[in-house]
């Protein structure tokens, strides 16, 4: 029997978790045995770098596209060390060009050409949220005008509120012309139904997955790199450095514990792995608090899993715009005690006081609650061990094998319908 062609399309201003998920999909043995996987994405430097790190940049069946979007440009402007007003002024001309519809027409033509060239049986659209990357919805329009392949649309975050009459009409079109939506959590599904009025019967919940690469640097080597004593207690967060990931709250929690002498500066350290728009701010913030010898900004690391594996405690204090973060699943797989925020797909992956600790997403009490839980776990080794054992057991629900089998089932079901 001839294998069906699946065109996977993704667009994001960074190469983040939702993009890594597609990399795992492209490498999935089950899916590659049963389907021909094509891959298309909006080409930009950071995305190419991410694919190169995954050894997927020169993969046969890739179709990088020059598509127009302000997301990457605006992200780069946001990282500039200039006044906020000047940043807004720099964005204005590009915002106006987009509003004129020039981007939409260019992208529509490019995506129609892609569909004519690739002739997929099914399209798997991967979007970091909804509406998020506009090109993802444009692909639905392009498919309506050309091949009319079956469409699976994956949304990797909580949907935003619908704004205005045009968006409601557009949503109706998307809902009608997509065969199946995928969310990683029941909460994300609920948001698509409530905020965008999508058909709940079309939305399937599929757990994210993450492979567990063999550790390249062990705990001793990581500690040597950080220049900390071998008997140290290491807290790690792996995430894009942005306000929504909550690094500042973790720094504040540690600062409070150090000041109260509940944690020793000679014993407890914290490492942030990742880069992003708040990198300079966080470095200065750490310096101003006098924590430069204890809290480290390490930047992007291709072997980020080594730092999770080396940690005594993994913390993910996100405050918004999450669903089921892949780094959280990695921490489960490596059997780490976890503290994370109680919302979105995090609440689905973490069972409180069983395979992790959840803290309420209330910014008024967030720092204090985070500090209390760090202090509790630091002083309770037995609890850390139990949480770690249960975390490792729960990883089976997020393995690449489970993900591949579930997607295979969806593809076959949608194609046959």
């Amino acid at each position: 029997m001839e294998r069906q062609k699946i065109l996977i399309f993704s667009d994001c201003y960074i190469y983040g978790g939702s993009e890594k998920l597609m990399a795992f999909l492209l490498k999935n043995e089950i899916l590659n045995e049963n389907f021909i996987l094509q891959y298309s994405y909006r080409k930009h430097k950071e995305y190419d770098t991410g694919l190169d790190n995954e050894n997927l940049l020169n993969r046969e069946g890739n179709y990088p596209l020059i598509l127009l979007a302000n997301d990457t440009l605006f992200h780069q402007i946001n990282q500039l060390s200039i006044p906020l007003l000047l940043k807004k002024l720099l964005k204005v001309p590009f915002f106006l060009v987009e509003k004129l519809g020039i981007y939409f027409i260019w992208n529509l033509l490019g995506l129609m050409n892609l569909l004519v060239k690739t002739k997929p049986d099914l399209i798997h659209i991967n979007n970091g949220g909804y509406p998020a990357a506009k090109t993802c919805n444009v692909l639905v329009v392009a498919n309506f005008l050309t091949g009319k392949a079956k469409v699976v649309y994956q949304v990797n975050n909580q949907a935003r509120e619908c704004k205005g009459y045009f968006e409601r009409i557009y949503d109706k079109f998307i809902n009608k012309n997509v065969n199946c939506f995928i969310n990683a959590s029941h909460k994300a599904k609920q948001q698509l139904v409530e905020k965008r009025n999508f058909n709940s019967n079309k939305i399937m919940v599929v757990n994210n997955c993450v492979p567990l690469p063999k550790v390249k640097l062990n705990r001793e080597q990581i500690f040597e790199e950080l220049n900390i004593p071998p008997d140290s207690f290491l807290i790690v967060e792996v995430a894009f450095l942005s306000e929504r990931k909550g690094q500042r709250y973790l720094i504040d929690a540690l600062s409070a514990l150090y000041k109260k002498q509940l944690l020793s500066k000679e014993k407890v350290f914290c490492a942030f792995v990742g880069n992003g728009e708040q990198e300079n701010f966080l470095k200065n913030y750490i310096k101003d608090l006098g924590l430069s010898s204890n809290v480290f900004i390490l930047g992007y690391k291709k072997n980020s899993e080594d730092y999770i594996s080396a940690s005594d405690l993994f913390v993910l204090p996100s405050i918004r715009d999450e669903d089921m973060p892949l780094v959280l699943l990695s921490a489960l797989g490596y059997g780490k005690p976890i503290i994370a925020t109680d919302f979105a797909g995090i609440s689905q992956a973490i069972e409180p006081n069983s395979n992790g600790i959840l803290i309420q997403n209330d910014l008024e009490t967030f720092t204090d609650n985070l500090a209390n839980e760090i202090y509790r776990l630091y002083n309770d080794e037995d609890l850390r061990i139990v949480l770690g054992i249960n975390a490792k057991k729960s990883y089976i629900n997020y393995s690449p094998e489970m993900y591949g089998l579930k997607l295979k089932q969806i593809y076959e079901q949608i194609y046959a319908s």
Side-chain angles (χ1 to χ4, degrees), residues 163-181:
K163 297 178 181 178
Y165 177 76
F166 177 75
E167 276 203 3
R168 284 194 294 273
I169 296 298
Y170 204 9
D171 279 354
K172 286 182 180 179
F173 175 86
I174 299 299
N175 187 31
K176 181 179 179 180
N177 290 282
V178 169
N179 299 90
C180 170
F181 294 92

Side-chain angles (χ1 to χ4, degrees), residues 353-398:
N353 298 308
S354 175
N355 67 345
I357 302 294
L358 292 176
I359 55 175
Q360 186 178 0
N361 193 15
D362 180 351
L363 296 187
E364 291 186 4
T365 60
F366 195 86
T367 300
D368 289 341
N369 290 341
L370 181 56
N372 290 339
E373 295 298 349
I374 291 172
Y375 180 68
R376 178 162 76 107
L377 285 182
Y378 173 70
N379 286 289
D380 194 337
E381 183 179 3
D382 290 341
L383 177 58
R384 295 201 310 270
I385 291 172
V386 170
L387 292 176
I389 291 171
N390 291 336
K392 196 169 187 66
K393 288 179 180 177
S394 63
Y395 168 75
I396 191 172
N397 298 315
Y398 311 101

Side-chain angles (χ1 to χ4, degrees), residues 278-305:
Q278 281 210 318
E279 184 168 351
N280 290 331
F281 166 79
L282 290 172
K283 285 180 177 178
N284 291 330
Y285 193 64
I286 291 165
K287 183 178 179 181
D288 291 343
L289 290 173
L291 299 179
S292 297
S293 297
N294 290 84
V295 181
F296 314 114
I297 303 288
L298 303 182
Y300 171 80
K301 296 286 186 179
K302 188 176 180 180
N303 61 327
S304 60
E305 62 276 355

